Amino acid sequence: MAALPVQVAHAQASSPAYTELLAGVDAAAITSRVALATLPLTRKSSLAAAQAARRSLRLGGFAAGAPRRVFQSPGPLYEPEPDADGADPWRIARALHAAGIRAGQLAHVSFSYHLTPAGAMMEAGLRAIGAASFPGGVGNTELQLQALLDLQPEAYAGTPSFLRILLEKAADAGHTLPWLRHALVSGEACPPALVAWFAERGVDASQCYATADLGLIAYQTAARDGLVVDEGVIVEIVRPGSGEPLPEGEVGEVVVTTLSPGYPLIRFATGDLSAVLPGASPCGRTNQRLRGWLGRADQSAKVRGMFVHAGQVAEVLARCGQRGRARLVVDGELANDRMSLQVEAPAEEGLVERLQLALRDVTKLRGDVELQALGSLPNDGRVIEDRRQVG
């Protein structure tokens, strides 16, 4: 929180986009989570639109200076490697160290080294902790397996699926890899069953949650109890479709404010779902923890020819002063769509009618409203549930 007002002031002064977005904001007053929640969200769609409108190395005006390198993600969306952020600009070293990787070791990196920044992210982190890397990249499975056999790396950094492919290929060829002991995996889900599969083959696999825009957000430790939030970011969990923070334990959208001086994203909405775990990690680290990746928050459905979004559900609730869980259920048959808004709220005279009116005004569609008991809707972050049968 001490760094937060400094970062907000820096963004206002150095990022043309935030000069506009945060106009009139007193940076010195943004010293708490409550104050932070008053600032607007920045979404990926905003970045893409700004980049299309302002074609320069400032990347739509969000970069605070000229980057060292520029990468591309699907969209296309361009992300900088900020020149102002030191030798480990994405802060991956902490996750690598927590995964057991140490100075003097060699890590086989199978993330992409072109277009997207994942390979560069891992390489910078490895360099920061004094470890060497083999830039395997993606594909060329036979050549990568040969490198594993020749170089005998102690660690792996890449997707869990490709690590499994390499281990299976090695086994099919009659090889074991007893030197490969640690792995930091990311980019896709790695369920407990797959972690156990790796452990059976002598590989201790840890996960991290990182994005091309923000760098490291959270990482797994030896406790295997949630993901510890990195110290270079501030994480909020908000109601999907809104910027309203949710209480601890509630599933919602991950919103991140980064303390990066080169790319000072403020309240960046990732579109991912997660929840804050109570207490501190059994490993001794004391920062906030996340449950992990729980799905996507950017939910929508097409009803009677009209798109309905999670943000519209949030607006309906806000108009009627409701802050509990809600779910818009879409049902029915072809050309006979029905939608019902389920809201956790105590019975109150006129509330159903007000919600129905707000639902019609916001979505331009009629729908039923059902009041539900507090705590009765699933805590899964889902706001729109499409129950219609396809085909």
Side-chain angles (χ1 to χ4, degrees):
M1 291 302 114
L4 179 58
V6 177
Q7 180 72 339
V8 173
H10 169 66
Q12 289 174 313
S14 306
S15 165
Y18 281 116
T19 301
E20 298 174 11
L21 286 170
L22 303 180
V25 171
D26 179 8
I30 310 300
T31 58
S32 67
R33 289 181 175 272
V34 172
L36 179 61
T38 65
L39 303 183
L41 296 181
T42 298
R43 294 194 175 276
K44 279 186 182 287
S45 56
S46 301
L47 294 183
Q51 288 179 9
R54 301 177 177 179
R55 298 187 185 277
S56 74
L57 276 179
R58 299 298 286 274
L59 300 181
F62 283 91
R68 187 183 294 138
R69 287 187 287 183
V70 178
F71 296 92
Q72 183 193 78
S73 292
L77 185 66
Y78 297 95
E79 300 96 3
E81 178 184 348
D83 192 43
D85 289 5
D88 185 21
W90 295 281
R91 308 173 314 282
I92 300 295
R94 184 175 281 115
L96 291 163
H97 189 273
I101 303 170
R102 296 292 182 267
Q105 294 183 339
L106 173 65
H108 185 111
V109 181
S110 74
F111 279 121
S112 174
Y113 273 80
H114 76 286
L115 292 180
T116 63
M121 292 166 74
M122 292 295 157
E123 185 129 331
L126 288 164
R127 207 177 294 128
I129 62 174
S133 62
F134 172 75
V138 296
N140 298 308
T141 305
E142 297 300 330
L143 286 175
Q144 295 215 41
L145 177 57
Q146 187 62 51
L148 280 171
L149 295 171
D150 292 342
L151 297 174
Q152 300 187 3
E154 295 92 342
Y156 167 92
T159 63
S161 59
F162 193 65
L163 176 58
R164 178 165 190 161
I165 288 171
L166 289 172
L167 291 172
E168 288 177 336
K169 288 278 188 182
D172 290 345
H175 301 296
T176 59
L177 309 176
W179 50 84
L180 187 62
R181 309 300 298 170
H182 303 282
L184 180 65
V185 298
S186 192
E188 59 192 30
C190 186
L194 185 53
V195 173
W197 189 90
F198 289 139
E200 289 170 1
R201 287 150 183 82
V203 180
D204 184 16
S206 299
Q207 303 174 60
C208 77
Y209 172 29
T211 72
D213 323 273
L214 300 159
L216 182 64
I217 298 172
Y219 59 98
Q220 202 168 39
T221 71
R224 294 290 193 274
D225 192 4
L227 303 178
V228 177
V229 172
D230 179 60
E231 295 172 18
V233 295
I234 297 170
V235 171
E236 303 169 86
I237 302 295
V238 307
R239 188 180 306 283
S242 80
E244 177 192 352
L246 291 172
E248 190 176 83
E250 285 287 310
V251 176
E253 184 174 10
V254 177
V255 169
V256 181
T257 296
T258 174
L259 300 178
S260 160
Y263 202 37
L265 296 176
I266 308 294
R267 298 203 82 205
F268 185 76
T270 65
D272 295 324
L273 291 174
S274 193
V276 173
L277 287 173
S281 172
C283 75
R285 288 174 174 83
T286 57
N287 205 8
Q288 180 187 46
R289 291 180 302 150
L290 301 179
R291 277 179 56 187
W293 186 81
L294 301 177
R296 292 291 294 171
D298 44 0
Q299 306 159 35
S300 65
K302 197 169 189 179
V303 183
R304 298 172 220 151
M306 301 279 286
F307 276 105
V308 181
H309 303 276
Q312 292 174 304
V313 176
E315 184 178 346
V316 170
L317 298 181
R319 288 191 181 193
C320 298
Q322 298 303 306
R323 305 188 67 178
R325 295 178 196 155
R327 176 167 296 194
L328 186 70
V329 178
V330 183
D331 209 338
E333 300 77 34
L334 184 65
N336 187 27
D337 298 331
R338 298 187 299 270
M339 69 178 194
S340 175
L341 180 62
Q342 301 175 349
V343 180
E344 288 187 3
E348 176 186 318
E349 185 176 354
L351 177 58
V352 169
E353 290 76 15
R354 294 200 306 275
L355 286 165
Q356 285 176 327
L357 180 61
L359 182 62
R360 188 177 64 205
D361 285 347
V362 172
T363 66
K364 313 305 179 190
L365 296 165
R366 293 182 181 273
D368 297 326
V369 171
E370 303 172 12
L371 299 185
Q372 305 286 330
L374 296 178
S376 60
L377 292 178
N379 180 24
D380 57 7
R382 181 179 290 187
V383 176
I384 297 178
E385 181 181 357
D386 194 340
R387 295 178 180 173
R388 292 171 295 188
Q389 297 296 315
V390 178

